[in-house]
Amino acid sequence: MCRWAAYIGTPIFLEEIVSRPGHSLIHQSHCATQCNSAINADGFGLAWYGERAEPGLYRDVLPAWSDPNLKSLTAQVKSHLFMAHVRASTGTATSRNNCHPFAHGTWSFMHNGQIGGFEKFRRDAEMMIPEELYSDRKGATDSEALFLVALGEGLDADPRGALERAAARFISIAKAKGAAPYLRMTAALSDGKKLYAVRYSSDEQVPSLYYRYSETRQGMAVVSEPLEDGQGDWNEIASSSFSTFDGETVTVEDFRPCRLALAA
């Protein structure tokens, strides 16, 4: 399983989430505590928003703890909205194109989890990507495929509904041709204006996800694991929920793609 962190609020240096806290994302890349594997060494990535509508993107295949460029970059770049991800592959190759976050236009997306038996129906999954988006399929991961299918389902107009419909399509095909668990996911996505996060699993093993608003930073962090040991004010995001973060406001809606998959 992967680990990730996202932030929205007053601009801060990326290092305040990625590298400086005691249990920062870089620390989680080799000492994660709330997932099956403590090591997340199959690459890393950053997506951040600045003066332009499209996000900046930096990804590499090195373990996050061993890349000096990552620490230098996060110490110099400030952003009001950014995402960071450390990867533990569930089967696909370690390559830049398979590292999260993924970006298309103003959208960025990252995922932790798995789609059961993806290697058995990868061709079918590719066919679900709309033709006009297929040229943006750069890697081989189930996560990127899910993102592109969600874009085709209308992510611009309806982020929750589009991702729910895309997830339902993957659950249906995983049930028909793949394996359980059909879908486990925490995901973050953004259009550069709002930050969205989802926590869901088709079984009882739901990946961890938390959020916390900092009065000091005047911003919201959404993370796989709390960034400091002993901080008791992290809020656990409920399972089967889609959260929208806009300033201090958190809006939580149901996210239940299994209902759509059963109806299909």
Side-chain angles (χ1 to χ4, degrees):
M1 291 293 197
C2 310
R3 303 282 81 182
W4 59 256
Y7 172 86
I8 184 170
T10 300
I12 62 172
F13 289 109
L14 274 59
E15 68 176 3
E16 293 189 43
I17 301 293
V18 176
S19 61
R20 287 186 63 188
H23 196 49
S24 70
L25 195 64
I26 289 181
H27 188 259
Q28 292 174 42
S29 69
H30 59 85
C31 291
T33 60
Q34 297 190 28
C35 59
N36 292 334
S37 171
I39 305 299
N40 298 274
D42 297 320
F44 66 85
L46 302 169
W48 69 93
Y49 293 87
E51 298 299 317
R52 295 178 174 170
E54 296 81 13
L57 201 62
Y58 176 59
R59 301 180 295 178
D60 209 341
V61 298
L62 292 172
W65 69 79
S66 67
D67 184 358
N69 294 318
L70 176 60
K71 290 186 178 180
S72 178
L73 180 69
T74 59
Q76 295 296 329
V77 174
K78 261 188 174 181
S79 174
H80 72 286
L81 203 172
F82 61 88
M83 300 180 182
H85 186 280
V86 291
R87 181 172 182 252
S89 173
T90 55
T92 51
T94 301
S95 72
R96 283 192 180 91
N97 285 336
N98 286 338
C99 291
H100 308 221
F102 306 102
H104 179 274
T106 62
W107 283 98
S108 55
F109 175 87
M110 61 185 179
H111 169 233
N112 165 45
Q114 65 191 99
I115 299 173
F118 180 74
E119 67 282 354
K120 299 177 182 178
F121 58 85
R122 180 173 156 185
R123 184 175 182 276
D124 300 83
E126 302 275 341
M127 296 297 290
M128 292 195 293
I129 300 171
E131 184 176 354
E132 64 272 19
L133 293 172
Y134 193 76
S135 61
D136 293 292
R137 174 67 157 155
K138 307 299 185 184
T141 64
D142 51 1
S143 304
E144 184 190 39
L146 176 63
F147 175 44
L148 293 172
V149 172
L151 283 165
E153 289 287 343
L155 202 60
D156 285 327
D158 181 15
R160 186 197 67 82
L163 187 57
E164 191 176 53
R165 290 188 293 272
R169 295 177 70 181
F170 278 90
I171 290 170
S172 294
I173 198 169
K175 285 183 175 180
K177 296 186 175 183
Y182 305 121
L183 177 65
R184 288 178 184 164
M185 68 182 301
T186 61
L189 56 157
S190 180
D191 58 0
K193 299 174 183 177
K194 296 179 181 178
L195 175 65
Y196 306 96
V198 61
R199 184 183 184 214
Y200 177 81
S201 180
S202 59
D203 66 3
E204 299 302 315
Q205 303 299 314
V206 190
S208 58
L209 195 62
Y210 303 86
Y211 72 90
R212 177 179 182 267
Y213 184 80
S214 169
E215 293 288 351
T216 303
R217 293 190 179 108
Q218 293 291 292
M220 188 81 72
V222 185
V223 299
S224 295
E225 300 184 12
L227 297 176
E228 295 285 359
D229 294 333
Q231 282 183 328
D233 55 349
W234 286 92
N235 302 284
E236 185 175 21
I237 293 178
S239 178
S240 300
S241 65
F242 184 94
S243 302
T244 302
F245 300 92
D246 187 7
E248 295 183 53
T249 303
V250 183
T251 304
V252 181
E253 302 171 87
D254 275 354
F255 185 88
R256 299 185 184 275
C258 273
R259 294 180 303 187
L260 301 179
L262 289 171

